[in-house]
């Protein structure tokens, strides 16, 4: 049987870093004049941590294999953005807003695809993630096109988008990550391999 430690680590990490994104988003909404340098440093640390968790999730192979299936790409992207922000925390705010907006839009689109698969799996709360993904994608699009460089409105939009992304990822982890202690390794792949061997002439 496969160890459930990577899956549990990924799920708990997803929830923790999603909660941090929510807190950071609420902070920016309440205090849009937050220090750009401090914001860059905090976002850099959070993105690096979230990137690591996403990579752990991708390789954990949870039972449904829905929530983490695109996290190889997003994990690497989060790491790169996080490192850039730590190197130049105060001078890349506009670039970061655009990059995060595009990243969150792409994540939302993939989450929409995941909800369609979740519906076929019989996960009844798929529509919750779908609604959050649509909202996150909409705000990500606005953030990418920037309502105003360095403006208060930009920081508010960034805060709302971070909040929605946090709620979206938390909902995905809670509703679409299934962990069972008796899960056998590579059940799907093994059965497919046996079937192909049997059909071979």
């Amino acid at each position: 049987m496969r160890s459930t430690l990577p899956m549990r680590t990924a799920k708990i990490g997803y929830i923790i870093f999603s909660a941090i994104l929510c807190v950071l988003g609420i902070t920016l909404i309440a205090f849009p004049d937050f220090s750009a340098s401090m914001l860059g440093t905090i976002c850099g640390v959070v993105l690096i941590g979230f990137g690591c968790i996403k990579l752990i999730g991708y390789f954990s192979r949870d039972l449904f294999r829905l929530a983490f299936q695109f996290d190889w790409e997003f994990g690497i992207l989060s790491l790169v953005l996080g490192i850039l922000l730590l190197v130049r925390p105060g001078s890349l705010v506009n670039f970061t807003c655009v990059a995060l907006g595009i990243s969150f839009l792409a994540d939302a689109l993939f989450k929409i695809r995941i909800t369609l698969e979740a519906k076929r799996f019989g996960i009844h709360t798929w529509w919750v993630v779908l609604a959050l993904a649509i909202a996150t994608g909409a705000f990500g699009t606005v953030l990418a096109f920037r309502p105003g460089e360095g403006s208060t409105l930009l920081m508010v939009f960034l805060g709302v988008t971070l909040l929605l992304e946090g709620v979206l990822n938390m909902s995905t982890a809670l509703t679409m990550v299934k962990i069972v202690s008796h899960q056998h390794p590579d059940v799907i792949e093994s059965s497919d391999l046996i079937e192909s061997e049997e059909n071979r002439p």
Side-chain angles (χ1 to χ4, degrees):
M1 290 185 290
R2 180 188 300 137
S3 171
T4 60
L5 180 59
M7 287 175 276
R8 294 185 186 279
T9 300
K11 185 172 184 176
I12 294 172
Y14 242 74
I15 295 171
I16 291 174
F17 279 100
S18 296
I20 294 174
L21 285 179
C22 292
V23 172
L24 185 57
I26 293 172
T27 300
L28 284 180
I29 295 171
F31 306 101
D33 56 346
F34 197 79
S35 167
S37 179
M38 185 175 295
L39 172 64
T41 300
I42 295 173
C43 282
V45 173
V46 172
L47 286 173
I48 289 174
F50 215 162
C52 293
I53 290 298
K54 284 177 177 292
L55 291 176
I56 293 173
Y58 177 80
F59 290 107
S60 68
R61 293 179 174 273
D62 64 295
L63 184 62
F64 289 158
R65 299 185 186 179
L66 291 173
F68 307 135
Q69 60 180 302
F70 302 112
D71 276 357
W72 167 256
E73 295 84 355
F74 286 109
I76 297 297
L77 178 61
S78 295
L79 288 174
V80 171
L81 288 177
I83 292 171
L84 284 175
L85 281 177
L86 286 183
V87 172
R88 303 282 295 278
S91 59
L92 293 171
V93 174
N94 291 325
F95 163 77
T96 302
C97 286
V98 175
L100 286 178
I102 295 173
S103 174
F104 292 160
L105 172 60
D107 188 36
L109 292 175
F110 282 120
K111 289 292 194 302
I112 291 173
R113 177 179 169 181
I114 289 172
T115 59
L116 299 179
E117 297 179 16
K119 183 180 180 181
R120 290 197 295 269
F121 265 72
I123 299 176
H124 301 296
T125 53
W126 63 272
W127 60 271
V128 176
V129 179
L130 176 62
L132 289 169
I134 293 173
T136 302
F139 275 90
T141 302
V142 174
L143 184 63
F145 284 98
R146 295 177 295 178
E149 295 215 11
S151 67
T152 299
L153 185 58
L154 177 62
M155 290 297 100
V156 172
F157 266 101
L158 177 58
V160 173
T161 310
L162 286 171
L163 176 60
L164 286 171
E165 177 71 7
V167 175
L168 172 61
N169 279 280
M170 185 180 296
S171 300
T172 302
L174 290 173
T175 61
M176 298 189 185
V177 179
K178 181 68 173 179
I179 301 174
V180 292
S181 59
H182 59 277
Q183 183 177 347
H184 293 280
D186 302 324
V187 172
I188 297 176
E189 292 85 350
S190 297
S191 60
D192 291 342
L193 179 60
I194 292 172
E195 183 177 351
S196 64
E197 288 292 338
E198 290 177 349
N199 295 332
R200 179 178 298 178

